[in-house]
Amino acid sequence: MVEPETFIEEAIEEIREQVGDEKAVIALSGGVDSSVAAALAYEAIGDRLIPVYVDTGLMRKGETESIRETFAFMESLRVVEAQDRFFAELEGVTDPEEKRHVIGEQFIREFEREAKEAGADYLVQGTIYPDRIESEGNIKSHHNVGGLPDVVDFEGIVEPVRDLYKDEVREVARALDLEDVVAERMPFPGPGLAVRIVGEVTPETAEVARVACHVVEEETEKHDPWQAFGAVLGKATGVKGDNRVHGWVVAVRSVESRDGMTARAQELPWETLQRIQSRITGENDNVARVVYDVTHKPPATIEYE
Ligand code: XMP
């Protein structure tokens, strides 16, 4: 990549040329990719950019509040409370690809409504280079690549960070003075907590995964993993007080990686693992067991689905 400052100038110029006097929408996810794409587009066209954030119920703890704060300077920001609609669509769905599909479809419906209301002609996306590679190889269906453009009748798609790797996007984020929380955030998958829940996604499993992810992110911070989170695997037996209970099994995953294509399970200190275990079981009455995932990628993927 050229120097971040040069990249920013060129990206802004390109967006202005492409969008002209029209309006554009972008789906904000809270991740660094869409945040950088939104900031570049906002610099380029101001309030003619309408950033849309859909709360799917599968977002990180405190995500919606943090989005409102981070993007408070964009008066055109729209926040859609869609949790109940996502959970209703996900009822009974257990197949991983089906889950992604359901989430992708619902996301499109929510986003399409907002785009139409806003009268936007262009779609800005935070697609980065590895997304395009994995999509072309069809390793997994990434709902932030493909899908949207076919459904909404946009005049054009604008992808300002399409040729960058994740670490380059972070460099640009820093150069744009996006708060540290955005610049240094771990990558978060498009389908959200759903790919960290093996089996049915319900408000209950989503909440267990959300709390587990929050605890793991906090407790591993000083070990600087590339990505770290908790996942809900299913149920197993445990003891609470004098009773045997059937509670959730949470897997803790912390990996080192450059770009997510390959990864190594991180060697965390025992006391860190124990603190994670004690907080997750303490903060969730219905978690019976916490395990640590020691598998690299390959053969495992980073996420569980
Ligand atoms: P896997 O699990 O395939 O993940 O080893 C590699 C990287 O991609 C992220 N990931 C996704 N990102 N939509 C996304 O935007 C998705 O469907 C998706 N699935 C995985 C994952 O978090 C990791 O950083």
Side-chain angles (χ1 to χ4, degrees), residues 42 47 49 52 68 76 82 94 117 130 162 181 192 207 216 221 223 231 251 258 274 280:
Y42 194 78
D47 278 341
L49 175 76
V52 176
R68 283 191 204 274
S76 44
T94 53
E117 255 179 52
R162 65 184 174 272
V181 58
E207 192 52 27
V216 175
E221 198 182 345
H223 301 288
R258 194 187 105 84
Q274 279 303 324
I280 292 178

Side-chain angles (χ1 to χ4, degrees), residues 46-62:
D47 278 341
R48 282 186 290 116
L49 175 76
I50 296 101
V52 176
Y53 169 75
V54 179
D55 187 343
T56 60
L58 302 166
M59 316 303 289
R60 283 184 264 212
K61 191 174 170 182

Side-chain angles (χ1 to χ4, degrees), residues 100 140-142 144 187 189-191 226-227 260 297 301-303:
R100 275 167 199 272
K140 246 177 209 180
S141 53
H142 282 231
N144 52 348
W226 191 75
Q227 217 169 349
K297 172 183 181 177
T301 52
I302 294 175
E303 305 290 348

Side-chain angles (χ1 to χ4, degrees), residues 134-150:
E134 290 212 356
S135 257
E136 277 162 22
N138 202 21
I139 292 173
K140 246 177 209 180
S141 53
H142 282 231
H143 88 253
N144 52 348
V145 182
L148 282 178
D150 297 340

Side-chain angles (χ1 to χ4, degrees), residues 31 43 128 136 265:
E43 281 285 319
I128 67 170
E136 277 162 22

Side-chain angles (χ1 to χ4, degrees), residues 234-256:
K235 283 199 158 183
T237 305
V239 232
K240 294 257 160 142
D242 293 333
N243 298 321
R244 285 164 79 83
V245 294
H246 200 47
W248 297 107
V249 180
V250 169
V252 174
R253 187 133 173 81
S254 186
V255 298
E256 290 165 333

